[in-house]
Amino acid sequence: QVQLVESGGGLVQAGGSLRLSCAASGGILNNYALGWFRQAPGKEREFVAGVDWSGDITHYADSVKGRFTISRDNAMNTIYLQMNSLKPGDTALYYCALSRGRTAQGVRTNGVLFWGQGTQVTVSS
């Protein structure tokens, strides 16, 4: 059984930074792309960032490009999301996701096999 456990969320002022982590277990996860999605109150869940199976290729939503950085450590079965220059509009529940495919861009389009339970990020103005 695959498990994805997020951590690192919290309350931060606008302009601040947070680093999210997602520890994955329960399968041959190195063969799959991983990523982050978020859902704000009253809005649909949206793609944030993806990283391919190797960790070499990344893909971002336009809204976070240049501010967020996704990375993965396959030895630790963990992915990270470094979030800088945070804005109140980044406030959401952030979910880790195991993609159906191996590509970073495919995290957005290929569907998700497993979700984490989410970690809350709140950015105050």
Side-chain angles (χ1 to χ4, degrees):
Q1 179 74 18
V2 172
Q3 284 191 320
L4 304 173
V5 180
E6 302 98 333
S7 61
L11 173 64
V12 64
Q13 288 188 331
S17 298
L18 282 174
R19 189 192 196 207
L20 305 184
S21 300
C22 171
S25 62
I28 308 175
L29 303 173
N30 292 356
N31 290 337
Y32 295 92
L34 287 155
W36 292 94
F37 290 73
R38 68 187 182 186
Q39 187 167 18
K43 295 187 177 181
E44 293 187 354
R45 192 173 300 189
E46 64 175 1
F47 168 80
V48 174
V51 59
D52 79 330
W53 67 276
S54 71
D56 291 337
I57 300 173
T58 58
H59 179 66
Y60 298 93
D62 287 345
S63 59
V64 306
K65 203 173 293 183
R67 300 187 298 122
F68 290 11
T69 302
I70 188 172
S71 60
R72 74 188 285 169
D73 182 341
N74 282 340
M76 298 294 291
N77 281 334
T78 301
I79 66 167
Y80 305 94
L81 186 68
Q82 178 67 43
M83 305 185 294
N84 298 329
S85 302
L86 282 162
K87 306 174 182 179
D90 295 317
T91 294
L93 192 58
Y94 283 70
Y95 295 93
C96 179
L98 179 70
S99 174
R100 291 185 179 275
R102 291 161 60 89
T103 68
Q105 193 163 0
V107 174
R108 184 201 293 258
T109 58
N110 288 350
V112 172
L113 287 172
F114 293 98
W115 295 98
Q117 291 189 322
T119 185
Q120 178 67 38
V121 172
T122 303
V123 184
S124 64
S125 57

